[in-house]
Amino acid sequence: MTFSAVVVAAGSGSRAGGAKQWRLLGGLPVVRRSVQALLDAGADPVVVCIPADSRDEADRALAGLSGWIAVPGGADRAASVRAGLAALDDQPADRPVLIHDAARPLLSRAVIDALLTTLQTADAAAPVLPVADSLRRDDEGRIGETVIRDGLLRIQTPQAARLGALTAALDAWPDPTPPTDETQALRRAGLTVAHVPGDARLMKLTHPEDFAMAEALLASTERRVTRVGHGYDVHRWGPGGAVWLCGVEIPHDRSLIGHSDADAGLHALTDAILGALAEGDIGDHFPPSDPRWKGAASDAFLAHARDLAEARGGRIVHCDVTLICERPKVKPHRQTMRERIAAILDLPLHAVSVKATTTEGLGFTGREEGLAAMATATLELPD
């Protein structure tokens, strides 16, 4: 069945410790997992409702995917859904639309297919789970009276309806307090909402500990492999007054010669990541013949390799750079170098190593004709 989708990803994620839609889960941004699942099922398009100032984050999280568009979300969930539906105003009124929370990233094809099948005979549909725990009311900090759980359901997303009916139901909502979800608005409008079996894996990421649970679920179902890439780079010394090494500018009596900023450390590390991905080398992605990269900061090259890894569902877990030179002295700048690399790769500082060595006056580095750098990068990737 042809359908469209709206992914709500405009929240601040305050209870989760920050904007959870951009956080990595199993090597992929949370929002990417939701959008990818809907695209793979045939959604056209997927409208992603994001904070107004987060377009760069969305582009990075969804890099390489086609068939999605981004719109600014609203002040609450219902306002974001309305904004997403407005982006579908060129679609027919009977178009099936699935509304999904980005914070439920483990969306299966089975749930999507069940919703679309049920929508052929029902006004709307939503996935549900039974309530398994005993329920009690809170009595001022004490356990109060029992709430009978028979007949109670936990409602998940996506929630499915026809575009025209859903838009009308949300527009007709009379209360100043917005509806908690689409099923509430649809039922208030007099429509019948059927339910399909939900999925325990379709948990909502709300608190920090939820991420640990979701990671454990992924680890039990997704096979991942470890790959190690190696990089090596050399640049000659030339006239100048400073040198760029591992993203840090160091005053020196000479500079390294290169088409870009000649940062041998970042070049080697970029090649190491590309090697682990089997994506060629830095020259394939940034040809020295291309004038766009004349004098370019090598931060961009490393960020590109990072984005390629994320687009593949990979996660960079460790990197190690060795600078080979007689001068300048690296140790006074090593901590700053580690911090810069950690910032570019979104790694904790303890996962970044930078060190230096000399060749005891031997070879081209010993004669100070040039500087060399070696690097390794360790990645976890889907098998």
Side-chain angles (χ1 to χ4, degrees), residues 24 46 55 68 85 90 124 137 146 156 161-162 181 185 196-197 203 209 279 281 284 287 292 317 345 371:
L24 296 184
V46 175
R55 183 55 195 251
W68 65 276
L85 294 176
D90 60 337
R137 296 193 184 280
T146 298
Q156 300 178 312
R162 305 282 175 175
D181 66 2
V196 303
M203 58 184 292
E209 57 269 24
E279 288 281 357
D281 60 31
D284 295 325
R292 288 181 299 168
V317 296
L345 296 181
L371 179 146

Side-chain angles (χ1 to χ4, degrees), residues 8 26 77 89 146 226 285-286 301 325 338:
V8 182
R77 187 183 187 284
D89 60 1
T146 298
T226 299
H285 297 262
F286 303 97
F301 305 159
C325 59
R338 294 176 65 211

Side-chain angles (χ1 to χ4, degrees), residues 28-50:
L28 285 176
V30 165
V31 68
R32 187 185 184 93
R33 289 187 173 275
S34 294
V35 173
Q36 181 78 69
L38 290 161
L39 289 173
D40 288 347
D44 181 27
V46 175
V47 182
V48 187
C49 305
I50 61 173

